[in-house]
Each structure stands twice: as C-alpha cells, then as structure tokens.
Amino acid sequence: MSIDTPLKPVPVTILTGFLGAGKTTLLNRILHADHGLKVAVLVNDFGSINIDTQLVVGVEGETISLANGCICCTIRGDLLKTALLLLDRAEPPEYLIIEASGVSDPWAVAETFDLPELRSFFRLDSVITVVDAEYVRQQQYYEDLIIHQISAADVVVLSKVDLVTEEQRADVEQWVRQIVPRVRILPAIHGDVPMSLILGVGRYNLEVQPRIVVPRHDHEHDHHHDHEHGPHCDHDHGDGDQQHDHHHDHSAEFSTWSYVHDHPFSLKKLRTALQDLPATIFRGKGVLYLAETPQRRAILQIVGVRITVTVGEPWGDATPVTQMVFIGAPGGLDGASLTAAFDACLTNAPGQEQIAGQQSWFRRVFGGG
C-alpha cells in the first residue's frame, strides 16, 4: 500500500452512541445531505444504511459510491488500515466519518486518529455522541458505558425529542451537562440537524475533554479481565500528567442472537411475539419478509419497549428472507424459546395464486408495485 501525504489532513468525525440511539438515522441524513463535501463513512455494516437506489452510482467490493460524491464503506479488519486505503483512492474523500459500534470506546478511536504520526493524514474534528432522549435514562444496567461515551463528546445529538415532554428533555439535557458541562447539545427528530453544526466544527482537543472515572456496577458477570487496577486502566499519554481511564471491551457484557428464515411471517402473529419478548432484550433490528407485503421488505427496529415495523424498499431481484438480530443482557437470550416463538409466526411458503392475490392487495393498499 502506498499512501501519499494529502495536501491537507482529512477532517475526521467520530460518531458514537449506545445501541439504538439513532446513529444510523443520522448517517442517512449525512449521506443524503447537500453539503458539497466528498464524505466517506466507515461503518461496521453498511447493509443497515438505507440508501435510496437513485443515489447509488456504483458498488466496488465493500464500498458504495453515491451520486453526491459520498461513499459508504464497510470496515473490514483494522480501522486505521481501512481509513488509509480511502486516501489512496483516485478521488480521496474530503471528510471522514467513523461510526463506532454501540458498545465501543470512542476515546480509543479518538486517540488513534490523534497520534502525531497520523496528523499529516487526518485531523480529528469532533466526537458526536447520539443520545436517545426517551430511553437513555432507563438503561441503568449500562449507564456507565453511556456516560463514558458522552464524556468523549464535544457535540451531543439529542435524538427522538418528539417522544418526550419538554420537562423530560430538560432533565436529560441537564444530566448530559453534568457529564460534559460545555458540550453543544443539538435536539433532533429523525436525525434532522443542520450539517454546518456537525461537519467541520473545529479541531477536537483530547486534552480539554473531561477525564471521567465512572464507577462500575456489579452486574454479576465475568469481564474476562484480570488487571490489578480493576475494571479501569490508566493509559499514559506521554505528557507526564495527562491520563484517561478507558473501559475495556464491553462485548462480554452482551448476548446476541440471530434468526433467519425464507418463509413469510404473519404480521398479526409476529406483532404478538414481539410484544411478548423478554425484558432482557433491549435492542433488535432486522429485515422482515411479511405475507401481507410480500413485494417489499419490512424494517424492524426495537429499542427497549419501543417496537416499530415499517414497510421499506421493494425486494427487487433479491430473494425475500427474514434476518433479525437481537442484543440483550448476558444470559438473557434463550435461543430455543425465541426460535419456537418466531417459528410459530411463519406461514407456508406462498404459491403462485396466493402471491398474485397478495400483489393485488398490496397495490390496492400501497399503490404501484
């Protein structure tokens, strides 16, 4: 790999926030926005990014190129290597956005891109933490992780403010400012915030961000770490007196379970099954194959007790199939019980006569094909 030093360092924004906070919604806004920048977005899986087909002008391996000059690229392996490869493109990006996973440490990513060796290639512009106004204070089990993510932010996008009262919103804003007093808080509905307030907002300064040590709760599970300093480790930044306490990998604190099936669901039965999910599941998402709307994929989003199913894009040439992923507390996902519950929602694979009837119904209800 041969990387020429860019004329100007590429600004980098790190986008973080807990599972279901609204990071993907904000990313979609950025990819659709008329900001005049060639933005590259690095995500763990761009399959979850809802990009309109008319925006897509090319697909190259793990990269989608868009008509507005933006690209969306899947992170495969080393994050830094993927970012440097972007600079080696014929038309390198003018701006880089990195979506950290919902359980990752934004401090570690920020410090990586602030290394002296990389300053001729990248300039850390900001760390944006997306906070769910409705649900953030109900996540007591993972409150320490959420506080840690907020503490890294110089911009907080307070999402879903339309789902809370003014009093609730004020309480959340006050709580955020207790963690980072000088943070800029941007209220948002469906990720709608002015691009000028989140892109190119200035140089991020690691040294002025608050150094927060968050006490850990005893969740009665094994972190699989045995450090003499306990659950936090101080990392010396090399300047003698500046230290920051990092959380370790939180993946051991979560359970995941997935479900895939090529038969359609009965929406009525599925709705009941979703409402009966155990409280230990706090995040779920997926693409659904529904008998009632066989021509279009349905999108499932679960955040806590909030469950939404919306009709999305047509399947087109793709084979309809349900794919769902659930995230919960350790030991909180009983795969056998969940499989049985969802299998009970399946209908038989539709025959041609049934498909024709469904298509006719779909056109009457939704119009078109």
Side-chain angles (χ1 to χ4, degrees), residues 255-257 277 281 283-284 300 302 324-328 333 342:
S255 296
T256 61
W257 180 82
L277 286 174
I281 293 177
R283 182 70 172 109
L300 170 68
I302 300 174
M324 298 186 293
V325 177
F326 297 88
I327 303 173
L333 298 174
F342 287 122

Side-chain angles (χ1 to χ4, degrees), residues 10-13 37-40 93-97 125-126 198-200:
V10 175
V12 177
T13 287
L37 293 171
K38 293 180 180 178
V39 175
E94 299 169 335
Y95 206 100
L96 177 61
I97 298 175
D125 189 75
S126 64
I198 60 174
L199 298 180

Side-chain angles (χ1 to χ4, degrees), residues 151-171:
S151 73
D154 57 347
V155 177
V156 164
V157 172
L158 190 62
S159 68
K160 308 172 188 177
V161 293
D162 55 321
L163 302 179
V164 298
T165 65
E166 286 296 325
E167 183 180 2
Q168 290 171 323
R169 170 178 162 179
D171 287 344

Side-chain angles (χ1 to χ4, degrees), residues 83 131 138 150 203 226 324 362:
V131 173
Q138 302 177 38
I150 293 173
R203 186 178 182 89
D226 185 18
M324 298 186 293
F362 185 86

Side-chain angles (χ1 to χ4, degrees), residues 166-184:
E166 286 296 325
E167 183 180 2
Q168 290 171 323
R169 170 178 162 179
D171 287 344
V172 173
E173 290 185 357
Q174 181 181 13
W175 177 72
V176 168
R177 292 201 183 280
Q178 288 175 351
I179 302 168
V180 190
R182 297 176 61 85
V183 72
R184 286 166 287 180

Side-chain angles (χ1 to χ4, degrees), residues 87-323:
L87 300 185
D88 210 21
R89 293 172 60 91
E91 295 186 9
E94 299 169 335
Y95 206 100
L96 177 61
I97 298 175
I98 299 169
E99 181 196 10
S101 75
V103 296
S104 67
D105 179 2
W107 286 101
V109 181
E111 288 171 351
T112 295
F113 281 87
D114 199 51
L115 289 172
E117 298 87 346
L118 295 177
R119 289 176 184 169
S120 59
F121 297 97
F122 301 105
R123 174 178 61 80
L124 190 57
D125 189 75
S126 64
V127 176
I128 300 173
T129 301
V130 183
V131 173
D132 185 335
E134 180 189 30
Y135 198 54
V136 66
R137 298 309 309 275
Q138 302 177 38
Q139 290 284 7
Q140 296 182 2
Y141 194 93
Y142 295 104
E143 184 179 44
D144 53 351
L145 171 58
I146 295 171
I147 291 174
H148 188 68
Q149 293 173 338
I150 293 173
S151 73
D154 57 347
V155 177
V156 164
V157 172
L158 190 62
S159 68
K160 308 172 188 177
V161 293
D162 55 321
L163 302 179
V164 298
T165 65
E166 286 296 325
E167 183 180 2
Q168 290 171 323
R169 170 178 162 179
D171 287 344
V172 173
E173 290 185 357
Q174 181 181 13
W175 177 72
V176 168
R177 292 201 183 280
Q178 288 175 351
I179 302 168
V180 190
R182 297 176 61 85
V183 72
R184 286 166 287 180
I185 300 177
L186 306 177
I189 300 174
H190 302 303
D192 189 8
V193 294
M195 293 295 107
S196 61
L197 298 182
I198 60 174
L199 298 180
V201 296
R203 186 178 182 89
Y204 182 85
N205 191 341
L206 276 164
E207 304 308 328
V208 302
Q209 286 299 116
R211 307 299 189 185
I212 294 179
V213 180
V214 182
R216 300 285 297 185
H217 303 296
D218 183 8
H219 300 320
E220 298 183 353
H221 58 267
D222 184 10
H223 288 269
H224 304 289
H225 296 292
D226 185 18
H227 298 289
E228 63 178 344
H229 297 292
H232 296 282
C233 284
D234 291 334
H235 297 276
D236 190 351
H237 290 268
D239 56 5
D241 58 358
Q242 292 290 343
Q243 292 180 326
H244 176 66
D245 294 299
H246 293 294
H247 284 246
H248 293 293
D249 180 12
H250 285 263
S251 60
E253 301 180 25
F254 298 86
S255 296
T256 61
W257 180 82
S258 60
Y259 181 92
V260 178
H261 210 289
D262 58 2
H263 282 196
F265 278 132
S266 160
L267 180 57
K268 181 179 180 180
K269 293 180 180 179
L270 178 63
R271 184 184 295 114
T272 300
L274 292 173
Q275 291 172 344
D276 290 339
L277 286 174
T280 50
I281 293 177
F282 55 82
R283 182 70 172 109
K285 57 183 178 179
V287 178
L288 306 177
Y289 177 23
L290 299 178
E292 290 81 0
T293 59
Q295 300 303 305
R296 291 178 179 264
R297 66 196 74 200
I299 309 300
L300 170 68
Q301 294 286 351
I302 300 174
V303 181
V305 297
R306 187 169 62 244
I307 301 172
T308 59
V309 176
T310 56
V311 177
E313 297 296 317
W315 290 104
D317 295 333
T319 301
V321 62
T322 289
Q323 300 179 72

